[in-house]
């Protein structure tokens, strides 16, 4: 953690909705006059798309599953070093993983490859969004470098529905192909993704209030209005729960550290919760400068 160069980390599985959360933070940064450097977890994958496919096939031949959730599929030591360097001097390096044809046209390289590493810095905060923002293993501890850690965690069937629909629409995958990916990832999901949500400061869990019993045949993603949000604070001290409840109608406290709000109030909830937290980080930074 760094008072002078704070780091905000958004952690969630593929299809969890972390990108949507990032857009809300961009609104807050713009409104509050906060400058931010943005890095993506995909930038720290160890292999490009073709090499990863070959590695998956190689491991499968040996009777093992290999997925992007696994620590060995990612440059986690490099990610930790980027966090450490930014926290120490406000600088770092990142790159971009090119997902599709639109990004390929933008970056001038093939989908499934990486851009070159580039320096970033000179900003108020570093913002990370990806799979491993709070990961801790025997070799790395990314979580200890973060000043604000946020988990985005839909219930599992909803997460699968979102992933299936996204991968079919945006990447042209079949339902069978996405299902195979979900099955392969399950052991790594349990060992590398779930433990991070015990280390986050705040978790946002979206829970559908419509039937999602079989996510593999769901024809559409439950809308925000068809969901509720469970928001858990690891340390509720200093959180003004009466104010939050008064600002979001039909919300209530389910535990001493948790509130439940209508699903269509995600953006409002994040604006209300994170604006004072971000301002506190930036004010502390500016006092140190």
């Amino acid at each position: 953690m760094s008072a002078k160069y704070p780091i905000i980390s958004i952690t969630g599985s593929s299809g969890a909705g972390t990108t949507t959360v990032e857009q809300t933070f961009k609104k807050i940064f713009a409104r509050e006059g906060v400058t931010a450097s943005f890095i993506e977890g995909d930038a720290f994958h160890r292999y490009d798309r073709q090499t990863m496919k070959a590695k998956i096939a190689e491991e499968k031949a040996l009777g093992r599953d290999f997925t992007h959730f696994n620590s060995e599929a990612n440059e986690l030591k490099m990610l930790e070093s980027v966090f450490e360097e930014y926290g120490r001097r406000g600088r770092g390096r990142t790159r971009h993983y090119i997902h599709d044809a639109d990004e390929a046209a933008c970056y001038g390289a093939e989908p499934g490859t990486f851009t070159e590493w580039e320096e970033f810095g000179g900003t108020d905060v570093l913002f990370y969004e990806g799979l491993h923002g709070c990961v801790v293993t025997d070799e790395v501890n990314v979580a200890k470098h973060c000043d604000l850690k946020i988990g985005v965690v839909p219930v599992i069937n909803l997460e699968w529905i979102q992933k299936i629909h996204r991968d079919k629409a945006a990447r042209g995958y079949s339902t069978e192909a996405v299902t195979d990916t979900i099955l392969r990832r399950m052991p790594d999901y349990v060992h590398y993704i779930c433990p991070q949500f015990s280390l986050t400061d705040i978790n946002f869990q979206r829970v559908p209030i419509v039937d999602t019993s079989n996510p593999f045949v769901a024809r559409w993603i439950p809308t925000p209005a068809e969901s509720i949000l469970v928001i858990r604070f690891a340390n509720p001290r200093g959180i003004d729960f009466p104010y939050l409840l008064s600002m979001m109608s039909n919300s209530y406290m389910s535990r001493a550290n948790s509130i439940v709000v209508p699903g269509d109030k995600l953006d409002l909830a994040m604006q209300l919760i994170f604006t004072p937290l971000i301002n506190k980080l930036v004010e502390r930074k500016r006092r140190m400068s």
Side-chain angles (χ1 to χ4, degrees):
M1 298 175 69
S2 170
K4 195 170 183 180
Y5 302 109
I7 297 171
I8 300 170
S9 179
I10 307 292
T11 296
S13 177
S14 175
T18 55
T19 303
T20 301
V21 174
E22 180 181 344
Q23 297 308 311
T24 297
F25 270 84
K26 286 182 176 179
K27 293 178 191 175
I28 297 173
F29 293 150
R31 188 185 64 238
E32 301 299 318
V34 175
T35 60
S37 296
F38 292 86
I39 62 174
E40 302 170 337
D42 290 357
F44 295 88
H45 288 337
R46 179 160 290 160
Y47 307 106
D48 63 26
R49 188 172 296 167
Q50 293 305 316
T51 308
M52 184 64 178
K53 287 181 179 179
K55 181 66 175 176
I56 290 171
E58 177 186 321
E59 293 293 322
K60 187 174 183 179
L62 297 173
R64 298 192 294 258
D65 287 323
F66 190 75
T67 78
H68 280 123
F69 292 177
N70 195 295
S71 62
E72 297 302 315
N74 296 275
E75 301 285 2
L76 295 184
K77 287 185 178 179
M78 184 177 294
L79 175 61
E80 183 178 23
S81 71
V82 169
F83 277 20
E84 187 278 331
E85 183 179 8
Y86 186 88
R88 180 167 44 84
R89 67 184 195 95
R91 299 284 174 181
R93 286 199 317 152
T94 193
R95 60 183 177 177
H96 186 79
Y97 178 80
I98 301 170
H99 294 92
D100 51 35
D102 289 340
E103 292 186 359
C106 177
Y107 289 100
E110 291 297 313
T113 63
F114 299 97
T115 62
E116 296 297 321
W117 292 97
E118 294 183 352
E119 295 282 334
F120 68 84
T123 52
D124 293 320
V125 299
L126 172 61
F127 184 94
Y128 167 94
E129 175 265 318
L131 296 173
H132 298 103
C134 299
V135 73
V136 176
T137 71
D138 292 338
E139 297 183 341
V140 300
N141 186 337
V142 173
K144 73 177 182 181
H145 299 283
C146 303
D147 299 87
L148 179 58
K149 304 181 290 292
I150 302 152
V152 181
V153 202
V155 292
I156 193 70
N157 278 22
L158 176 57
E159 185 172 303
W160 290 347
I161 291 171
Q162 291 180 163
K163 177 171 176 55
I164 290 166
H165 281 250
R166 185 200 67 180
D167 285 2
K168 289 174 66 177
R171 302 178 183 177
Y173 296 165
S174 66
T175 299
E176 292 73 20
V178 185
T179 302
D180 180 65
T181 299
I182 289 170
L183 290 171
R184 285 191 297 102
R185 286 178 168 178
M186 191 51 59
D188 288 338
Y189 183 91
V190 171
H191 289 104
Y192 294 102
I193 304 300
C194 287
Q196 296 183 73
F197 302 126
S198 296
L199 302 174
T200 46
D201 300 305
I202 305 173
N203 283 334
F204 285 76
Q205 185 166 41
R206 187 154 79 95
V207 182
I209 53 175
V210 294
D211 183 18
T212 59
S213 302
N214 186 350
F216 304 102
V217 299
R219 297 175 64 182
W220 49 76
I221 300 171
T223 66
E226 296 172 326
S227 311
I228 58 172
L229 285 172
V230 179
I231 307 172
R232 187 275 292 171
F233 300 82
N235 181 5
R237 181 176 297 175
I239 302 298
D240 191 345
F241 289 108
Y243 170 72
L244 293 175
L245 297 177
S246 71
M247 293 296 291
M248 294 179 287
S249 58
N250 299 316
S251 60
Y252 60 92
M253 295 190 70
S254 57
R255 284 187 176 176
N257 67 342
S258 301
I259 61 174
V260 179
V261 305
D264 56 3
K265 289 184 168 58
L266 172 62
D267 185 80
L268 175 61
M270 289 194 166
Q271 298 265 358
L272 293 171
I273 293 167
F274 292 124
T275 297
L277 295 178
I278 291 169
N279 283 332
K280 184 177 179 180
L281 289 175
V282 173
E283 287 168 9
R284 186 180 66 176
K285 167 194 170 61
R286 290 170 180 168
R287 285 198 305 268
M288 296 288 294
S289 299

